[in-house]
Amino acid sequence: MSCFLAIQKGARHACLMTGEMERRLPSDMELGYLRGAVQELEWTSALKLAGLDHHNPPFHPNDQDLSDDQRRAARLATLAVGEHLRRLVEEGMDGDVRSALYYGASFSEIGDALGISRQAAEQRFRHVRLGDRVAVVISRRDRVRMYPEDPRGRVGEVGGKDQYDIDRGIWPIGQKVRAEARYAIVAVDSAVRRVYELDPNGWREAEPNKWEFTAVGGHEMTPEQIEAAFAAGDLPMRPGDDCPTRAGGAYRPHWF
């Protein structure tokens, strides 16, 4: 089995597609496939670097037909290839984290995927942020849900004059985002529908660690205001733009 087929087989077993991604830890057998694939790739690439005969190569760096000098050269070449592979894997992981953040993943979810804490994930991938600016994103489905225990009675796409009060909160928005975000973007069924300019002094803690924002003027922005902010680079998305809805929570920070 080639190294690429082994990697593909391990990946298929580790991540089963059933409409949604089902994530679990790979089994020992699957790890064996991946380990063998990496070793095969390392050794195949190291042969030329070590100056060994790649037309009739030994099958292992400890092959008895190799001299001590050849074994030393093979091990050093394999080490060099392994370092290049490590860098490639890290670059690939950076890209995966960047894409996951773009499609709405949180650092808690990234940490879960890696078996580390949210704080450790943020520290490890702090260089991967999409940018230095942030917007509040509320991305939900096009539906109305009834909440008798909520003073508002219902949440979601209620429409009319009550929509602003639904959009503004309450959301678990952290201190850094509250301090830096200038706009709140509301997306429905994965497409931007409304944009609000945020009043920096209008945040209210409605519940412990949950906040509601106040929009400038108490209403959404006009199309002309949105276009001006987008053209200036201050707004990352406009109505109609793609903004994926994430299961498990409507709010997320969007760094750009």
Side-chain angles (χ1 to χ4, degrees), residues 8 14 20 29 60 99 101 120 143 169 196 205 218 239 245 251:
Q8 290 173 349
E20 293 183 357
M29 179 179 294
H60 193 273
S99 294
L101 291 172
R143 64 184 180 184
Y196 298 95
E205 190 172 20
T245 299
Y251 162 72

Side-chain angles (χ1 to χ4, degrees), residues 19 22 28 30 33 41 44 47 66-67 69 87 90 92 111 132 145 159 166 179 201 209 217 220 234 237 240-241 254:
E22 179 183 337
D28 290 342
E30 292 156 2
Y33 278 125
L41 182 60
T44 301
L47 285 173
L66 295 179
S67 68
D69 287 343
R87 294 177 184 177
E90 288 182 350
D132 295 327
R145 302 178 68 179
I166 300 299
N201 299 314
N209 300 317
E220 62 186 281
D234 296 328
M237 292 176 275
D241 286 350
H254 179 87

Side-chain angles (χ1 to χ4, degrees), residues 50-215:
L52 297 174
D53 182 5
H54 61 277
H55 296 294
N56 185 28
F59 294 102
H60 193 273
N62 288 327
D63 193 298
Q64 294 299 316
D65 293 333
L66 295 179
S67 68
D68 288 349
D69 287 343
Q70 287 175 320
R71 290 184 185 183
R72 183 175 64 253
R75 284 302 185 185
L76 290 174
T78 303
L79 182 63
V81 171
E83 174 62 15
H84 286 297
L85 286 176
R86 183 188 65 79
R87 294 177 184 177
L88 289 173
V89 169
E90 288 182 350
E91 290 174 4
M93 291 179 70
D94 286 352
D96 289 337
V97 169
R98 187 175 291 106
S99 294
L101 291 172
Y102 177 80
Y103 285 106
S106 67
F107 271 106
S108 293
E109 292 173 310
I110 291 169
D112 287 344
L114 296 173
I116 60 179
S117 68
R118 174 187 62 80
Q119 294 87 344
E122 289 181 336
Q123 178 70 16
R124 179 174 174 180
F125 295 102
R126 61 185 182 275
H127 60 287
V128 176
R129 275 187 171 175
L130 300 179
D132 295 327
R133 289 179 290 181
V134 66
V136 170
V137 166
I138 310 299
S139 187
R140 60 163 76 99
R141 296 178 182 176
D142 193 356
R143 64 184 180 184
V144 176
R145 302 178 68 179
M146 307 306 294
Y147 280 95
E149 67 277 10
D150 191 304
R152 298 169 296 180
R154 55 184 184 159
V155 298
E157 289 301 291
V158 301
K161 60 182 180 61
D162 294 330
Q163 188 63 63
Y164 167 60
D165 285 333
I166 300 299
D167 288 345
R168 62 195 299 239
I170 53 177
W171 311 110
I173 302 176
Q175 180 179 1
K176 185 175 180 63
V177 175
R178 297 197 310 273
E180 297 185 13
R182 296 180 56 191
Y183 299 96
I185 299 167
V186 179
V188 180
D189 284 346
S190 299
V192 176
R193 185 170 291 185
R194 293 178 294 278
V195 180
Y196 298 95
E197 183 179 0
L198 298 175
D199 178 351
N201 299 314
W203 292 99
R204 185 180 78 88
E205 190 172 20
E207 293 181 7
N209 300 317
K210 292 189 176 181
W211 299 76
E212 64 180 19
F213 64 78
T214 299

